Amino acid sequence: MSRPPTFTPPPCARARVLATERGDFAVLDAVPRTPARATALLLPGYTGSKEDFIALLEPLTGAGYRVVAVDGRGQYESKGTDRQESYAQGELARDVLAQAAALGEGRGELHLLGHSLGGQIARAAVLLDAAPFRSLTLMSSGPAEVVAAQRDKVKMLSDALAVLSMDEVWQAMQAMDPPQDADTGDGAGLRRRWLAHNPAQLIATGAQLAAEPDRVDELAAVGLPVHVLSGERDDVWPVELFDAMARRLGAHRTTIAGAEHSPNTARPQETAEALAAFWAGLPGA
């Protein structure tokens, strides 16, 4: 999971509810001091939340962008049902389109970014309707299913969620964490977030990660500007897959030195600079 340094938003952001035609979603809405150049909608990954982008908010608003980071349905502070079918990828993609509409940006004006699982949901939304979006950034999000070792981890987690409480699973995960991970991030916030997740969401989206088909050619046919951004190492998808995907898409490619699967928390300043440079470099920006 991404380990944000804090769960407290910076002064540029406020926590609020984004009301949409598909329900309410918890967001962090960060606004620059001057009129925004554009707005970006950020989708977190598996087990993550809007707080995974907290360290990006000040540098991105400083570059002139409004940034809205969202909890998807069943994630942290956004409510969800206990039915796994509610979290089918198509349903989550329609949520994204509803969020885009609720933000009130003009058609073709919104920058969309998804981290890991969020990237695959973002891709699904674009394939349903690309019209609301100016660009798509796939951050540490691969072309198809995760690697075999991660599929095993997802299955182990899903099996545990089926028979144990969220707190029991949390304790087991903490016991398995490498020692260096135990002291990173806001431990109390991470536990609070985990306990708030809906287990049905985790089981359903974990299954998606383990079985996602390659839809890169479909995305390339849409013609939307795409940015493929990752760390220099990744244990969920090999970095070579990100390179190949970017070539297939004709996409802008950024590799963040010193980062792994979560450049948003490991190297936020460099990541924000890369995002702002991509958005500003688009034709007509």
Side-chain angles (χ1 to χ4, degrees):
M1 67 177 74
S2 289
R3 295 173 178 268
T6 179
F7 277 69
T8 302
C12 65
R14 67 185 178 102
R16 69 178 185 93
V17 172
L18 179 67
T20 82
E21 64 179 13
R22 289 178 61 86
D24 294 345
F25 297 89
V27 302
L28 294 177
D29 194 342
V31 181
R33 294 180 181 274
T34 56
R37 301 175 66 174
T39 297
L41 176 62
L42 278 52
L43 314 181
Y46 185 57
T47 77
S49 70
K50 60 191 179 301
E51 285 74 16
D52 291 342
F53 302 113
I54 269 182
L56 297 179
L57 298 182
E58 286 193 316
L60 286 177
T61 56
Y65 294 93
R66 179 189 178 197
V67 183
V68 181
V70 62
D71 288 338
R73 69 163 72 186
Q75 282 184 319
Y76 193 26
E77 295 179 322
S78 290
K79 299 299 183 184
T81 75
D82 294 330
R83 296 180 295 108
Q84 291 183 37
E85 54 267 31
S86 298
Y87 306 102
Q89 189 184 76
E91 294 300 310
L92 301 180
R94 290 179 181 88
D95 287 348
V96 174
L97 295 176
Q99 293 156 11
L103 288 176
E105 301 298 320
R107 299 289 277 179
E109 296 299 321
L110 186 66
H111 297 294
L112 181 61
L113 178 150
H115 174 236
S116 194
L117 170 73
Q120 297 194 333
I121 295 170
R123 179 174 72 177
V126 166
L127 291 176
L128 279 177
D129 183 7
F133 305 112
R134 180 68 186 90
S135 73
L136 170 64
T137 295
L138 302 172
M139 179 187 289
S140 304
S141 186
E145 75 278 2
V146 297
V147 297
Q150 293 295 327
R151 294 198 296 271
D152 291 342
K153 288 183 179 180
V154 167
K155 184 179 186 305
M156 184 184 306
L157 178 58
S158 295
D159 289 347
L161 289 168
V163 297
L164 300 175
S165 70
M166 291 295 283
D167 188 50
E168 288 170 328
V169 175
W170 173 259
Q171 293 178 44
M173 291 193 304
Q174 292 301 102
M176 296 170 61
D177 261 353
Q180 64 270 22
D181 288 348
D183 297 325
T184 59
D186 177 348
L190 291 170
R191 181 177 183 275
R192 183 172 64 250
R193 173 174 72 178
W194 171 262
L195 294 178
H197 277 311
N198 190 299
Q201 188 267 354
L202 292 168
I203 294 171
T205 56
Q208 292 169 31
L209 283 171
E212 177 74 2
D214 187 322
R215 305 186 72 186
V216 174
D217 291 343
E218 292 177 66
L219 181 59
V222 172
L224 190 71
V226 178
H227 184 190
V228 176
L229 185 149
S230 75
E232 61 182 352
R233 294 177 300 279
D234 198 296
D235 63 356
V236 182
W237 289 276
V239 171
E240 294 77 14
L241 281 183
F242 298 139
D243 296 337
M245 180 173 68
R247 290 193 294 269
R248 291 170 62 190
L249 291 168
H252 185 73
R253 176 75 173 104
T254 299
T255 303
I256 303 296
E260 298 187 16
H261 187 62
S262 297
N264 43 307
T265 56
R267 293 290 186 272
Q269 185 64 42
E270 296 88 338
T271 300
E273 289 172 359
L275 293 172
F278 169 66
W279 296 333
L282 293 172

